[in-house]
Amino acid sequence: MTEVKQIFPIKGMHCASCVGLIEKSLTQMPGVKKAMVNLATEQATVTFDSDLCKEEQIVSAVASVGYQAMLEQDMVSEDQERIEKTKELKKLGIKVASSLFLGGLILWGSFPGLTNTAPGILKIFWVQLLLATPVQFWAGWDFYRATIPALKHRTANMDTLVALGTTVAYLYSAFVTAFPNVVMDLGLEAMPYFDVATIVIGLILLGRYFEAKAKGQTSEAIRKLIGLQAKTARVIREDREIDIPIDQVSVGEIIRVRPGEKIPVDGIIVEGESSVDDSMITGESIPVDKAKGDIVIGATINKSGTFIYKATKIGSGTMLSQIIKLVQEAQGSKAPIQRIADMISAYFVPIVIMLAFATFATWYIFGPIPTLLYALLNTVAVLIIACPCAMGLATPTAIMVGTGKGAERGILIKDAESLEIAHKIKTVIFDKTGTLTKGKPEVTDIIALGQVTENEVLALAASVEKGSEHSLAESIVQEADKRELKLTQVTKFKAIAGHGVEGVLDKAQVYLGNRRLMDQEKVSFSSDLAQIEKLETEGKTVMMLSVDHKLSGLIAVADTIKESAHAGIEALEKLGIEVVMLTGDNQRTANAIARKLGITRVLAEVLPDTKASEVRKIQEEGKVVAMVGDGINDAPALVQANIGIAMGTGTDIAIEAADITLINKDLTSVASAIQLSKKTMRTIKLNLFWAFAYNIVLIPVAMGMLYPFFKILLSPILASVAMATSSISVVSNSLLLKRSRI
Amino acid sequence: MTLDKILVLIGSVLGIGLTYWFFLMKKEKTVEVISDSVDIVAEGGYQPEVISIKKGKTTKLNFLRKDSSSCLEEVMLSDFKIRRYLPLNETVTVEISPQKTGEYKFACGMNMFHGKIKVV
């Protein structure tokens, strides 16, 4: 048996499901031990027995599921899509230049006014035919190539209209050239219109050239993200450091990162410390200090120190891969506003063809002399000016740029619909703990009541809280650890959601929790109410400890407000959005925090399972509501809200319940996300308005509706200029979003 | 009205009728997908244009673009949040597992050519 490990570059992969598909097809092959596909590097690493399986068989297995695996010698380093696009653009550029040059010569020889300066040879109709033919059938071949199969399937698009329009002009001109006498017998001047056919083709191709260039930029964000991926990792195996390709790193592997290097995959630091620049992933501009136990994210840059870390997530599981997947999905989704364009686009081209017939008949029957010429030129103008592309591009290009721009700032939007709804938000509800505050409360006061000491109160509380996962419990246990207190074994531990905990310690029944718990257990605290209220007014959460139904102590815990909270709330208020704080804390504590933050509407003492109904109540006031939380404890509330915004924690960004995930943990991003949505929607509306108004206004003009009143007609050449600019303007308008400040 | 004008009028009315019939009265031909994959050729539209698949079943749609028109270079299955670039003459596989019955549309990047997935 000869085991071989080989890397195959893969073409045609676009998402995580491709990864699964290829891996499945490979692992099912006899002789293949292991197959690992990396989306970001577009490579498959296959370990196989070369006696049982050949390279070529692997290539064909990948081909059987619709992708292309390449042997090392065929390897193409650059993104295939971009290479193909560049090639296409070059070809298109040559066609544009040739058709405009040849068209220009014909125009010189035939346009009234210009023709006097032209050399005699250009005025010969047969020469014009000779110059126009390659433009019509070589440069314009793409229009025919798209039209013929489309007609076969009884469908039509933009190309059909251009092909029809220019062919009519070309064939009429060829007829005039070949049989001038026949035309003159009809009372018409024997004048061909090769300039119309050629210049129209040249200009439309020119428009397409610029449009393709601009469209390429709309998907730039994804390309940038994919480009962030590190190529190699320095792993420590058997006390030796070796550089290996990133897709060969496995979970649990120990990796060394030196100053200035890119962190290859996600993991946890096991040794050393450093500051890490996360800006490329989270948009956070200040480098973050990291030490043992801290999480590091792949593709971020290690600034100063050297550290060793353990890989926890690789391949499609890394944060970068998840971000790429999320952005790709958002860019593939459809905004509800697009529905109207969808409906129209299905009928648009056939309707334009019908209008062209009507134009021809109307001008031929009712038009001035020479009726045939007017009828022909106006029909061609109608076919050329219609631009369904602008309608098709209006929404998706803006969505692509908008979601990409968000990703650059650490704002991940789930889909186009969320981006659309976000601009209507009137109220933002913040969950307090972990969102407005750091979520890591610290013990601030311990008050012993009766015979016990402060430390005894803390030790008892820590003993009973040891089993709890609540963030308040963690702070108590930490404080006890800090004071090196000995904890007692607890039995019959029970967490009472929204109330506190209970347990039995040395046969004594212990309760630790809020007022509700004490009320429920009938523990009197009225004599200490003044002290409790004083602490609460300071914004502290007070927990009461009762031993055998007697109040023994108070522990006050306070959470610190996040640095970005003030600015975040201010930014929302500037946008005219109401800010509401939601918390399980009692009214007094909640008010104290809210006062510090300048929040006037507070929903306090809300139990975890009633958060969603509080959101519903505000929705019932007729408001579009966004709920901001950590996405873990408040998932139902995030789902209930019109837009659920989750503050990303650690490396897990795939928060199912959230419509928008803020991986930069910056609260000002809530306002930024809403602003991004407003700006994207403004762009979409402007695009749609432009696309619709353009077609609705200019098609009748091309039909000659202004002629009876103002003698205005649109020449087919001007029609092609308008058509070419209309789709470019839509794409360019979407690209302007990139420059907007959010 | 002269004869030529009458002929043009009749011709145009027929042309309008023919265009309507040709493009807008096309009968939908649904291809029922029995296996777990279906080949869809993108050439002047999508062939087959309408496919029918079973609810909950994972189906591979193998798109092959034979048309150099820039219209068809991307396929969008927005209900499944999929936008995929289709390189010319290369098969690109898209996997879907629809969980709800109904009709799901797919279209080219410019929304000019359309196809339909019927989930039954």
Side-chain angles (χ1 to χ4, degrees):
Chain A
M1 187 182 101
T2 326
E3 198 174 281
V4 181
K5 188 174 194 177
Q6 194 172 328
I7 296 171
F8 297 85
I10 307 277
K11 272 181 168 187
M13 281 201 298
H14 293 273
C15 69
S17 68
C18 307
V19 172
L21 205 65
I22 299 172
E23 280 178 354
K24 206 169 133 195
S25 78
L26 289 174
T27 44
Q28 279 169 355
M29 285 180 67
V32 171
K33 296 259 171 309
K34 196 176 160 197
M36 219 164 67
V37 178
N38 187 312
L39 176 65
T41 56
E42 297 189 326
Q43 288 176 336
T45 309
V46 188
T47 313
F48 60 99
D49 181 351
S50 62
D51 295 338
L52 292 171
C53 175
K54 297 276 167 262
E55 284 174 352
E56 291 72 22
Q57 286 171 301
I58 291 175
V59 171
S60 55
V62 174
S64 72
V65 287
Y67 305 89
Q68 197 182 349
M70 286 176 288
L71 298 174
E72 211 59 44
Q73 61 263 33
D74 312 323
M75 187 169 162
V76 182
S77 58
E78 261 193 287
D79 176 20
Q80 185 204 5
E81 182 179 338
R82 212 168 42 202
I83 295 172
E84 239 177 66
K85 283 260 164 87
T86 320
K87 229 164 51 187
E88 273 171 31
L89 267 180
K90 208 173 149 193
K91 258 204 277 185
L92 195 56
I94 296 170
K95 285 185 172 178
V96 170
S98 331
S99 43
L100 286 179
F101 176 69
L102 294 175
L105 289 179
I106 299 171
L107 194 72
W108 193 13
S110 58
F111 199 74
L114 278 177
T115 187
N116 303 333
T117 61
I121 190 166
L122 291 180
K123 295 177 196 166
I124 303 168
F125 294 166
W126 283 103
V127 172
Q128 291 185 0
L129 173 67
L130 202 72
L131 295 175
T133 305
V135 177
Q136 187 71 35
F137 297 108
W138 166 72
W141 180 240
D142 281 346
F143 299 119
Y144 291 111
R145 202 158 52 177
T147 301
I148 297 161
L151 290 179
K152 252 197 254 168
H153 301 130
R154 295 172 71 172
T155 54
N157 75 334
M158 191 60 232
D159 296 320
T160 319
L161 298 176
V162 179
L164 273 176
T166 58
T167 309
V168 168
Y170 176 84
L171 287 182
Y172 173 77
S173 307
F175 186 81
V176 170
T177 308
F179 311 104
N181 295 332
V182 179
V183 178
M184 281 191 285
D185 285 349
L186 288 170
L188 297 172
E189 194 191 344
M191 173 64 92
Y193 285 90
F194 288 119
D195 51 343
V196 169
T198 48
I199 298 279
V200 164
I201 289 179
L203 287 174
I204 291 177
L205 290 177
L206 180 71
R208 210 162 267 194
Y209 178 83
F210 286 124
E211 182 193 308
K213 276 197 126 172
K215 241 178 85 195
Q217 291 175 43
T218 56
S219 51
E220 204 181 21
I222 289 279
R223 266 204 307 278
K224 270 195 198 161
L225 284 170
I226 292 174
L228 286 178
Q229 180 76 279
K231 300 277 179 284
T232 57
R234 170 159 288 229
V235 296
I236 304 174
R237 286 179 184 169
E238 292 160 3
D239 293 333
R240 270 183 46 225
E241 287 183 14
I242 43 168
D243 284 328
I244 58 164
I246 185 171
D247 47 358
Q248 290 180 12
V249 176
S250 39
V251 171
E253 196 122 43
I254 302 296
I255 302 167
R256 181 188 291 280
V257 186
R258 290 167 300 188
E261 280 182 348
K262 212 173 238 186
I263 297 170
V265 294
D266 298 358
I268 293 178
I269 297 183
V270 288
E271 194 187 309
E273 53 191 54
S274 180
S275 76
V276 175
D277 179 3
D278 283 350
S279 60
M280 58 294 295
I281 296 283
T282 62
E284 228 168 321
S285 53
I286 306 159
V288 187
D289 289 333
K290 306 257 178 175
K292 191 180 168 185
D294 283 340
I295 288 166
V296 286
I297 305 163
T300 58
I301 291 172
N302 176 29
K303 300 287 277 187
S304 49
T306 298
F307 64 84
I308 293 170
Y309 79 104
K310 192 162 94 177
T312 51
K313 279 174 184 167
I314 55 162
S316 59
T318 63
M319 186 160 176
L320 180 65
S321 299
Q322 288 181 59
I323 294 174
I324 293 171
K325 187 171 168 256
L326 210 69
V327 177
Q328 271 175 337
E329 282 185 354
Q331 296 192 336
S333 65
K334 192 181 277 184
I337 194 169
Q338 205 185 324
R339 273 185 214 130
I340 184 159
D342 276 6
M343 217 167 63
I344 290 169
S345 74
Y347 305 103
F348 190 82
V349 176
I351 286 174
V352 172
I353 298 174
M354 289 191 258
L355 287 176
F357 274 115
T359 306
F360 187 88
T362 312
W363 279 93
Y364 192 84
I365 296 164
F366 305 108
I369 291 170
T371 50
L372 179 64
L373 272 187
Y374 276 113
L376 263 178
L377 289 178
N378 290 329
T379 304
V380 172
V382 169
L383 291 170
I384 298 299
I385 204 154
C387 186
C389 289
M391 281 192 280
L393 292 169
T395 318
T397 50
I399 294 287
M400 282 181 82
V401 178
T403 48
K405 169 118 188 151
E408 273 172 25
R409 290 281 315 268
I411 302 165
L412 298 181
I413 299 149
K414 194 175 174 188
D415 49 30
E417 194 176 351
S418 309
L419 188 62
E420 183 174 332
I421 300 171
H423 87 289
K424 296 183 198 153
I425 292 170
K426 288 278 170 284
T427 303
V428 174
I429 307 172
F430 283 98
D431 183 46
K432 193 208 85 184
T433 312
T435 306
L436 287 172
T437 62
K438 286 183 178 163
K440 278 188 182 155
E442 284 169 12
V443 173
T444 53
D445 306 79
I446 301 167
I447 298 164
L449 304 168
Q451 303 300 311
V452 283
T453 64
E454 245 184 50
N455 278 352
E456 279 168 345
V457 170
L458 182 63
L460 274 171
S463 301
V464 73
E465 285 281 34
K466 189 114 182 132
S468 168
E469 284 166 2
H470 200 278
S471 60
L472 294 179
E474 206 182 303
S475 62
I476 292 173
V477 175
Q478 259 173 13
E479 183 64 25
D481 275 351
K482 210 159 80 185
R483 297 190 188 193
E484 293 174 355
L485 301 180
K486 197 169 167 275
L487 304 189
T488 323
Q489 188 66 35
V490 64
T491 55
K492 294 185 183 164
F493 169 81
K494 202 170 129 200
I496 312 150
H499 291 71
V501 289
E502 65 168 287
V504 176
L505 281 143
D506 294 333
K507 291 181 188 161
Q509 179 69 34
V510 178
Y511 288 98
L512 181 72
N514 54 20
R515 292 183 194 211
R516 269 197 302 268
L517 182 67
M518 296 303 134
D519 282 339
Q520 193 180 298
E521 296 305 324
K522 300 194 171 56
V523 178
S524 164
F525 54 86
S526 51
S527 53
D528 302 292
L529 201 58
Q531 280 198 84
I532 294 168
E533 282 179 356
K534 184 178 167 281
L535 290 167
E536 284 176 352
T537 320
E538 291 164 12
K540 292 167 183 170
T541 305
V542 182
M543 282 183 283
M544 291 173 240
L545 178 79
S546 89
V547 180
D548 285 337
H549 288 82
K550 218 179 126 226
L551 196 65
S552 306
L554 305 174
I555 298 179
V557 171
D559 195 357
T560 34
I561 290 169
K562 275 189 190 166
E563 288 86 1
S564 61
H566 278 108
I569 288 158
E570 227 174 76
L572 285 170
E573 279 169 351
K574 257 192 207 154
L575 290 176
I577 291 167
E578 180 193 23
V579 178
V580 179
M581 188 178 92
L582 183 79
T583 175
D585 289 350
N586 66 59
Q587 196 71 49
R588 202 180 297 270
T589 315
N591 284 344
I593 301 261
R595 245 195 325 275
K596 279 187 200 163
L597 285 166
I599 298 175
T600 45
R601 189 165 178 188
V602 180
L603 302 172
E605 293 172 53
V606 179
L607 295 173
D609 51 353
T610 56
K611 280 183 186 172
S613 62
E614 291 297 329
V615 173
R616 197 178 309 121
K617 273 184 208 158
I618 297 183
Q619 283 172 319
E620 280 161 7
E621 293 171 18
K623 287 170 179 159
V624 178
V625 174
M627 168 82 202
V628 190
D630 59 11
I632 301 156
N633 302 321
D634 37 29
L638 292 189
V639 172
Q640 173 62 40
N642 302 82
I643 290 290
I645 302 177
M647 305 292 290
T649 46
T651 59
D652 193 15
I653 59 125
I655 298 168
E656 274 301 307
D659 301 299
I660 296 174
T661 305
L662 305 177
I663 44 173
N664 59 16
K665 296 171 205 153
D666 182 350
L667 284 163
T668 56
S669 296
V670 177
S672 303
I674 295 172
Q675 254 189 326
L676 177 68
S677 162
K678 281 183 191 240
K679 289 197 169 156
T680 310
M681 287 315 293
R682 205 178 302 149
T683 304
I684 292 175
K685 283 176 186 165
L686 193 66
N687 282 352
L688 285 173
F689 172 78
W690 171 245
F692 280 107
Y694 168 88
N695 283 301
I696 288 168
V697 172
L698 288 187
I699 292 177
V701 173
M703 288 173 77
M705 283 192 177
L706 294 181
Y707 189 81
F709 314 105
F710 310 105
K711 299 275 180 247
I712 291 176
L713 279 180
L714 202 63
S715 93
I717 291 182
L718 279 181
S720 66
V721 173
M723 205 286 293
T725 27
S726 93
S727 36
I728 301 172
S729 62
V730 162
V731 180
S732 310
N733 190 38
S734 296
L735 285 175
L736 277 181
L737 255 180
K738 268 195 196 177
R739 296 204 194 158
S740 64
R741 285 170 61 107
I742 56 159
Chain B
M1 202 184 275
T2 52
L3 182 66
D4 59 328
K5 287 186 177 175
I6 293 172
L7 286 176
V8 165
L9 182 66
I10 294 171
S12 298
V13 171
L14 281 177
I16 291 171
L18 189 75
T19 308
Y20 186 84
W21 167 82
F22 188 76
F23 293 112
L24 301 175
M25 287 177 67
K26 191 174 52 166
K27 273 205 185 109
E28 245 177 33
K29 243 195 279 165
T30 308
V31 170
E32 200 178 326
V33 184
I34 300 159
S35 68
D36 56 1
S37 77
V38 58
D39 296 334
I40 300 174
V41 177
E43 190 182 26
Y46 297 101
Q47 284 306 312
E49 208 169 18
V50 186
I51 58 166
S52 144
I53 61 176
K54 288 252 167 353
K55 186 180 103 174
K57 190 179 164 190
T58 303
T59 308
K60 287 179 202 151
L61 312 180
N62 306 317
F63 286 96
L64 173 64
R65 173 164 75 107
K66 288 186 177 170
D67 192 326
S68 60
S69 155
S70 58
C71 254
L72 286 159
E73 67 181 21
E74 270 180 331
V75 64
M76 288 188 65
L77 292 92
S78 303
D79 297 308
F80 303 96
K81 292 188 186 175
I82 295 170
R83 168 196 287 273
R84 203 60 65 78
Y85 177 72
L86 304 178
L88 196 60
N89 297 321
E90 274 178 40
T91 305
V92 171
T93 301
V94 169
E95 220 177 50
I96 53 165
S97 316
Q99 298 303 320
K100 269 190 203 160
T101 54
E103 285 190 357
Y104 300 90
K105 286 191 177 148
F106 59 93
C108 70
M110 286 186 184
N111 210 359
M112 289 278 96
F113 293 111
H114 303 96
K116 214 187 276 175
I117 302 165
K118 287 182 178 171
V119 179
V120 288

